[in-house]
Amino acid sequence: RMNLVAMATEPELQWVALWVRVRWAAVLVLLLSSAVVLLLPLAALQDQGQALLSGLAFLRALPRLPAQSTELSVTSRGLELLVLKGKAPPEVKLEARAALNQALEMKRQGKREKAHKLFLYALKMDPDYVDALNEFGIFSEEEKDILQADYLYSKALTISPHNEKALSNRGRTLPLVEEIDQRYFSIIDSKVKKVMAIPKGNSALRRVMEESYYHHIYHTVAIEGNTLTLSEIRHIIETRYAVPGKSLVEQNEVIGMHAALKYVNTTLVSRIGSVTIADILEIHRRVLGYADPVEAGRFRTTQVFVGHHIPPHPRDVEKQMRELVQWMNSEDAMGLHPVEFAALAHYKLVYIHPFVDGNGRTSRLLMNLILMQAGYPPITVRKEQRAEYYHVLEAANEGDVRPFIRFIAKCTETTLDMLLIATTEHSVALPEAGGSTAGCGQTIPVKT
């Protein structure tokens, strides 16, 4: 029995001893901390206390961030929290230079795959490294990627407009790029003629155009973050009944897009060369009118920020919108290829970013208005292309709008191919909403 008691009490005694040690250690830490505080100068303590109070006051004064918008903008009230793109620090620039030197060495040794990765790494470290842009451009030319080479030289010139090497390189690629673009426009023109030759009463064409209408609304709101499915959107438009359990704001965005499309189709398409500011405001009033009637159809009165792009100040918005409309109605603009004209109008409007919300949707509607006035079908930028879409817009903001024009041309060709395939003898359905983008790049070859 004595052994059993001893076995039971020994662990308890060990725990008591451990607890006593821990308490003595805590008392010792407390005494040392007090001694350090006593040794600190009073002024330092006051400074630290004041800094703490200032920090707390700053945190209390911070405004509440607005709810996440479906656009890529935040109002200037959150400016102090916005981190703008900065220059690469010196140590990062050194790393980029070392990567470039290694890339050139790998290229000299014929290890082109390694060289390619090192060029990319150098530009990831320092996106504004002009020498790397030039050398990677030359490397791309050698790989027969003229479009990428031209883009790299163009970016180098945006950073350093008088760089002799970039000027010489761009002078070599620009004529080739213009020829490639014109050839692509010719292919698109051939496909437009084929689509226009389809009889208007063709049942397959009528069916696919009706389907593409719902697809267009689905993708254009999904790009901005709307979570409604294609079937839910169809239900809302056809029945005007709400979908239970879904955001009313999102459902109102769909109704707004439907109203705006109807306005464009019935009122504006026939008025070639006479787009006004009032027309753009009316489009926007319908786009946003059901979700945010206060901001719908009026220019913003606050500064907004879109990624690294800072749109014009609110006081300059109306002036820049007048200039945009004047350009759209000019002979110069109408002399451009319809796809180029539509892409530039889209880009110019989204660059001005004249509204608090709904800029992307309004810009895409304006683009499609121009295309439809030229006899093209309305095109759809699919939600799966969102990353590429924003990437080429950012490239345009950095000074090279050509990638954005090519992106819109690709979307145009994809839409034309869809119509041509759907109206052939063995027709197929539209690509599934939210499905794979594998088919987006596939096109129908046309003999020219």
Side-chain angles (χ1 to χ4, degrees):
R1 183 182 293 180
M2 288 295 293
N3 288 339
L4 287 172
V5 170
M7 287 173 65
T9 55
E10 191 176 346
E12 291 177 11
L13 289 171
Q14 287 175 353
W15 279 110
V16 169
L18 180 62
W19 172 241
V20 169
R21 287 194 200 103
V22 168
R23 289 191 65 179
W24 273 111
V27 169
L28 221 79
V29 169
L30 187 61
L31 287 170
L32 284 170
S33 302
S34 303
V36 169
V37 168
L38 289 170
L39 290 171
L40 279 174
L42 183 60
L45 285 173
Q46 287 175 336
D47 288 346
Q48 288 179 5
Q50 189 62 39
L52 178 61
L53 289 172
S54 300
L56 290 171
F58 171 73
L59 288 172
R60 282 197 298 270
L62 281 178
R64 288 180 179 275
L65 286 176
Q68 188 176 0
S69 166
T70 52
E71 295 295 325
L72 294 177
S73 59
V74 293
T75 61
S76 55
R77 289 179 298 170
L79 177 59
E80 62 270 27
L81 300 178
L82 186 69
V83 180
L84 295 174
K85 183 182 177 184
K87 296 287 183 183
E91 62 274 15
V92 174
K93 288 189 175 185
L94 281 174
E95 190 174 348
R97 188 179 300 172
L100 175 60
N101 290 335
Q102 277 187 292
L104 293 172
E105 178 59 25
M106 290 298 105
K107 175 184 165 182
R108 189 185 66 78
Q109 293 179 19
K111 298 175 181 177
R112 298 189 71 82
E113 191 175 340
K114 286 186 178 180
H116 184 268
K117 288 178 181 176
L118 286 163
F119 280 126
L120 289 175
Y121 182 73
L123 288 170
K124 184 180 178 182
M125 289 293 100
D126 185 3
D128 294 342
Y129 191 5
V130 172
D131 288 347
L133 289 165
N134 271 319
E135 293 298 342
F136 191 26
I138 293 167
F139 181 87
S140 299
E141 275 192 84
E142 293 167 356
E143 296 288 307
K144 309 300 181 189
D145 192 345
I146 303 299
L147 295 180
Q148 177 167 283
D150 186 71
Y151 168 72
L152 292 164
Y153 300 146
S154 174
K155 187 170 181 181
L157 287 169
T158 302
I159 299 159
S160 178
H162 304 294
N163 186 279
E164 289 184 9
K165 193 170 185 178
L167 284 167
S168 172
N169 290 336
R170 186 90 200 280
R172 186 173 60 252
T173 57
L174 185 58
L176 299 173
V177 163
E178 287 176 343
E179 185 183 341
I180 291 168
D181 288 341
Q182 289 307 314
R183 229 171 21 230
Y184 193 28
F185 287 150
S186 297
I187 291 169
I188 290 172
D189 289 341
S190 300
K191 293 184 179 184
V192 169
K193 287 175 184 175
K194 284 179 173 287
V195 169
M196 291 178 76
I198 300 168
K200 299 300 177 190
N202 184 295
S203 59
L205 178 64
R206 195 164 58 246
R207 186 171 61 252
V208 78
M209 288 301 287
E210 183 183 342
E211 282 296 314
S212 66
Y213 182 85
Y214 295 110
H215 276 254
H216 179 81
I217 293 176
Y218 166 75
H219 286 288
T220 201
V221 297
I223 281 176
E224 312 297 346
N226 193 298
T227 61
L228 291 168
T229 65
L230 180 62
S231 60
E232 287 169 342
I233 285 171
R234 181 189 281 273
H235 168 83
I236 291 164
I237 293 171
E238 289 180 348
T239 68
R240 303 290 289 205
Y241 283 107
V243 177
K246 285 288 188 170
S247 161
L248 287 176
V249 172
E250 290 190 343
Q251 299 188 56
N252 282 330
E253 287 174 355
V254 168
I255 295 168
M257 273 304 301
H258 176 53
L261 276 167
K262 281 175 64 179
Y263 174 70
V264 168
N265 285 328
T266 59
T267 308
L268 300 181
V269 171
S270 59
R271 285 168 44 192
I272 298 173
S274 61
V275 177
T276 66
I277 288 180
D279 294 331
I280 296 172
L281 288 171
E282 281 299 311
I283 293 172
H284 184 261
R285 188 171 70 81
R286 287 162 173 79
V287 166
L288 209 62
Y290 296 88
D292 188 355
V294 174
E295 293 294 341
R298 74 186 189 104
F299 295 138
R300 59 181 166 83
T301 55
T302 56
Q303 182 62 54
V304 294
F305 301 88
V306 189
H308 303 310
H309 169 56
I310 304 176
H313 191 276
R315 65 169 173 264
D316 298 324
V317 166
E318 191 165 352
K319 174 178 174 289
Q320 294 209 18
M321 286 298 293
R322 283 198 302 270
E323 291 172 355
L324 168 61
V325 166
Q326 186 179 357
W327 172 80
M328 286 177 61
N329 294 323
S330 70
E331 289 183 8
D332 287 344
M334 292 189 187
L336 297 171
H337 188 278
V339 172
E340 186 175 8
F341 179 19
L344 287 172
H346 175 315
Y347 170 66
K348 286 171 182 282
L349 181 59
V350 89
Y351 178 88
I352 299 168
H353 222 74
F355 310 111
V356 168
D357 194 8
N359 294 279
R361 283 163 280 169
T362 304
S363 297
R364 290 189 288 276
L365 282 166
L366 181 65
M367 170 183 73
N368 273 321
L369 169 62
I370 292 167
L371 288 171
M372 287 189 287
Q373 285 179 337
Y376 283 64
I379 70 166
T380 299
V381 178
R382 294 174 63 84
K383 75 166 188 175
E384 296 86 6
Q385 297 170 297
R386 185 178 191 266
E388 185 183 0
Y389 175 55
Y390 286 141
H391 174 72
V392 290
L393 276 171
E394 188 174 346
N397 288 336
E398 291 175 357
D400 189 0
V401 78
R402 285 180 180 274
F404 182 69
I405 295 170
R406 290 185 199 111
F407 173 78
I408 297 302
K410 182 176 74 174
C411 292
T412 305
E413 187 182 20
T414 300
T415 300
L416 292 167
D417 287 346
M418 175 196 70
L419 294 173
L420 290 170
I421 292 168
T423 52
T424 57
E425 187 177 350
H426 305 289
S427 61
V428 294
L430 291 177
E432 284 295 322
S436 169
T437 58
C440 289
Q442 294 177 355
T443 58
I444 299 173
V446 171
K447 293 180 181 178
T448 55

